[in-house]
Amino acid sequence: MTASAPLLRLRGLTKRFGTNEVLRGVDLDVAEGEVVCIIGPSGSGKSTLLRCVNMLTPPSGGTVEFDGTAVVAPRESRWNPLAGRGERRELQRLRAHIGMVFQHFNVFPHLTALENVTLGLTRVAGLDAAAAAERARAELEGVGLTEKVDAYPATLSGGQKQRLAIARALALDPRLMLFDEVTSALDPELVGDVLGQMRRLAADGMTMLVVTHEMKFAQEVADRVVFMDGGVIVEEGPPSFMRDPAHERTRAFLRAVREA
Amino acid sequence: MTFDTALVVERLPQMLAATRLTLGVSLLAFVLAVLVGLVMAAGRRSRLVPARALSFVYVNVFRGAALYVLVIWLFNGLAVATGILLSALTVGVLALTLLNSAYLAEVFRAAISGVDHGQWEAGNAIGLSRWDVFRRVVAPQAARIAVPATGNHLVDALKDSSILAVIAVPELMFVTNGIAQTTFRPFELYVTAAGIYLAIVFVLSWGLRRLERRLGVSGTRPVAPVV
Ligand SMILES: Nc1ncnc2c1ncn2[C@@H]1O[C@H](COP(=O)(O)OP(=O)(O)O)[C@@H](O)[C@H]1O
Ligand SMILES: [Mg+2]
């Protein structure tokens, strides 16, 4: 553990869906500039953990701290329309600093590539239209979509959609990026495209929390790899630990992944 | 039997004048129904218990109401019960609005639910306010889904306005009834009235299909069965 406070600090995170305990006490720190990859079998709670960071899924218990500030889900009242307004505004402010990229892209289909990126710039970052367009163009250039600024997502390949989603998040100058299996829905030949983008981002010093099945990416890019199973972190360490994991569950998982 | 073309030609201006009221009443009711429908759809989706309860009752009461019964009740029953006396025209607009808004609320609600949940998440994740996520991300996509069914309700409002003849709103059907009774030529006159309704529906359907194409509604198909 470094002496300075981590950028992201999760403590005792739990999540239940009904009686299904999906997270059962997760502690995790991510330092500024660190790339942490989360691996583990399907259903182990990786996505849920990631979504708790920005409260897309509010945890049942535990705390999320981002840059020393508690991230809390706004109170939801069934009676008082004004309940939780301040908390919601605070959460929106924090979310702008935490970029998220999804497995299924979730780009906005009714907006052009440029408009996908400018929406957050004008409505969240408060830029005027001209400044937003300029910034968005630069961001799209950064992910190799210069030719596609006026294209609608329907005309883009999966890899291009995912790079657009990355540009949309990066435009808001996030301090942390969350990636949830962002290459799982891509045709194999487009995977490298998106992973390359993420490698560059990591090389530029972005703090990243990455749920992935790409073991090679984890091996080569991660500063730390976290293995999750059954809603807990079973084992974590530098990527080299994957060559000789201490736990049988980790070994079984890695064996299964390699055989696939 | 011969078709009295001269009679039709003679009475057509009178019928077309009444058609303007038909159009006015149904368009006004439709616009109001869209607005009320939006509010009620928002109510159905609200986390607030009173809003949900109110819109649930509204939608289920007026969706279950028969237009004919609603018209008669608003015109005669309401005055007896409350002393509120509404003009026939007001009753007409009100009844068409109540009924169509209840249906449209369900159309809009379904359209909003039809937008991929990932769109809300992506909007939330970049820090948009809840209103902005709805207004800028979800609503434009929901609108595309809702256009065909919404267009059907415009056509319905137009055709249903003929029922207002029973409370003597001088729209196309009422005027046609009057002429038919004095000239004893119902065949020609009702054929003409049917033709006018058909022509309007045809034009509306054409306009709606163009709108759908412009909005890029997927799998564009005829919005309204013609007639
Ligand atoms: N919104 C939800 N409602 C109910 N159960 C959920 C929901 N989201 C996830 N789960 C359940 O939580 C468990 C963990 O899911 P997830 O975090 O997506 O796992 P992973 O990403 O590791 O595959 C699964 O059993 C899944 O069915
Ligand atoms: Mg997952």
Side-chain angles (χ1 to χ4, degrees):
Chain A
M1 200 99 316
T2 51
S4 64
L7 182 63
L8 180 70
R9 183 203 289 266
L10 310 179
R11 284 297 176 272
L13 223 51
T14 60
K15 179 64 187 181
R16 280 185 310 274
F17 289 109
T19 56
N20 185 10
E21 268 191 84
V22 173
L23 295 179
R24 298 186 297 156
V26 174
D27 297 337
L28 182 68
D29 287 348
V30 181
E32 184 111 49
E34 201 179 15
V35 176
V36 176
C37 284
I38 304 176
I39 60 170
S42 175
S44 58
K46 307 180 299 293
S47 295
T48 304
L49 179 68
L50 214 59
R51 296 159 57 84
C52 282
V53 170
N54 62 1
M55 297 293 146
L56 284 185
T57 299
S60 308
T63 57
V64 177
E65 229 176 75
F66 174 73
D67 198 21
T69 309
V71 186
V72 289
R75 265 171 307 142
E76 294 274 354
S77 166
R78 301 163 131 241
W79 297 96
N80 177 3
L82 299 180
R85 278 181 97 203
E87 292 154 327
R88 182 158 291 282
R89 207 159 299 144
E90 172 69 1
L91 177 61
Q92 283 162 216
R93 193 185 66 77
L94 290 170
R95 277 172 170 170
H97 298 292
I98 305 174
M100 187 165 198
V101 186
F102 302 86
Q103 180 175 353
H104 296 289
F105 327 130
N106 299 352
V107 290
F108 304 135
H110 60 299
L111 301 177
T112 63
L114 190 76
E115 290 165 343
N116 261 273
V117 182
T118 54
L119 181 60
L121 288 168
T122 53
R123 304 299 305 172
V124 179
L127 268 58
D128 65 40
E134 190 181 337
R135 176 64 201 266
R137 275 175 208 283
E139 216 53 73
L140 288 168
E141 191 185 339
V143 298
L145 289 177
T146 310
E147 313 286 296
K148 299 289 182 183
V149 284
D150 294 320
Y152 282 92
T155 67
L156 301 179
S157 74
Q160 290 171 331
K161 279 184 208 164
Q162 199 57 298
R163 282 184 283 139
L164 170 59
I166 292 173
R168 175 177 68 184
L170 290 178
L172 295 171
D173 290 322
R175 299 192 51 202
L176 169 67
M177 285 287 288
L178 308 172
F179 293 87
D180 190 2
E181 291 196 35
V182 297
T183 57
S184 297
L186 294 177
D187 292 334
E189 75 272 20
L190 301 174
V191 168
D193 201 32
V194 171
L195 290 182
Q197 206 66 53
M198 291 166 70
R199 279 173 194 268
R200 277 197 288 284
L201 202 53
D204 287 347
M206 177 62 76
T207 312
M208 296 164 57
L209 188 54
V210 184
V211 172
T212 187
H213 287 302
E214 302 288 339
M215 292 305 145
K216 190 156 169 286
F217 178 86
Q219 189 74 249
E220 292 172 9
V221 182
D223 297 302
R224 198 147 47 96
V225 175
V226 170
F227 174 70
M228 276 184 77
D229 194 10
V232 294
I233 293 177
V234 174
E235 189 166 357
E236 63 177 296
S240 55
F241 95 81
M242 290 194 289
R243 280 196 291 275
D244 186 24
H247 289 259
E248 176 48 35
R249 277 197 283 176
T250 317
R251 239 172 278 159
F253 171 73
L254 288 170
R255 210 180 305 126
V257 170
R258 276 191 206 108
E259 278 162 16
Chain B
M1 186 198 122
T2 55
F3 192 94
D4 191 347
T5 315
L7 174 70
V8 170
V9 171
E10 181 200 338
R11 296 302 189 136
L12 198 57
Q14 197 183 346
M15 293 175 76
L16 289 177
T19 304
R20 290 191 14 210
L21 188 63
T22 289
L23 281 173
V25 166
S26 42
L27 285 178
L28 177 60
F30 174 75
V31 170
L32 292 174
V34 167
L35 296 177
V36 176
L38 284 172
V39 172
M40 288 301 155
R44 291 297 306 267
R45 295 184 52 90
S46 172
R47 67 193 180 289
L48 299 173
V49 172
R52 270 213 310 277
L54 182 80
S55 49
F56 178 83
V57 170
Y58 180 94
V59 165
N60 285 287
V61 164
F62 291 114
R63 212 168 39 150
L67 181 59
Y68 188 86
V69 177
L70 189 60
V71 165
I72 301 282
W73 184 83
L74 283 173
F75 196 56
N76 300 314
L78 193 65
V80 173
T82 65
I84 300 171
L85 206 60
L86 300 174
S87 75
L89 200 57
T90 309
V91 166
V93 173
L94 187 60
L96 287 172
T97 301
L98 291 172
L99 209 80
N100 283 293
S101 61
Y103 279 102
L104 284 174
E106 291 297 274
V107 168
F108 298 154
R109 185 166 76 112
I112 293 167
S113 307
V115 175
D116 177 16
H117 197 67
Q119 294 290 309
W120 290 92
E121 296 187 341
N124 281 323
I126 58 174
L128 289 174
S129 69
R130 249 201 303 219
W131 169 247
D132 273 348
V133 176
F134 179 73
R135 167 70 185 77
R136 312 265 166 180
V137 176
V138 176
Q141 297 180 58
R144 278 167 217 215
I145 301 174
V147 162
T150 305
N152 281 339
H153 283 281
L154 173 56
V155 172
D156 280 351
L158 179 94
K159 293 187 293 184
D160 288 350
S161 67
S162 59
I163 284 183
L164 305 181
V166 300
I167 53 168
V169 174
E171 45 68 64
L172 176 57
M173 195 61 194
F174 181 78
V175 167
T176 307
N177 285 342
I179 303 171
Q181 276 157 27
T182 53
T183 59
F184 302 105
R185 301 297 299 199
F187 180 78
E188 285 85 345
L189 291 161
Y190 288 118
V191 164
T192 306
I196 294 174
Y197 281 113
L198 206 68
I200 299 170
V201 170
F202 187 81
V203 171
L204 284 179
S205 304
W206 176 80
L208 286 164
R209 262 199 305 277
R210 276 187 54 124
L211 178 67
E212 278 183 54
R213 226 168 284 142
R214 244 193 53 203
L215 288 173
V217 173
S218 57
T220 300
R221 54 193 179 282
V223 242
V226 178
V227 163

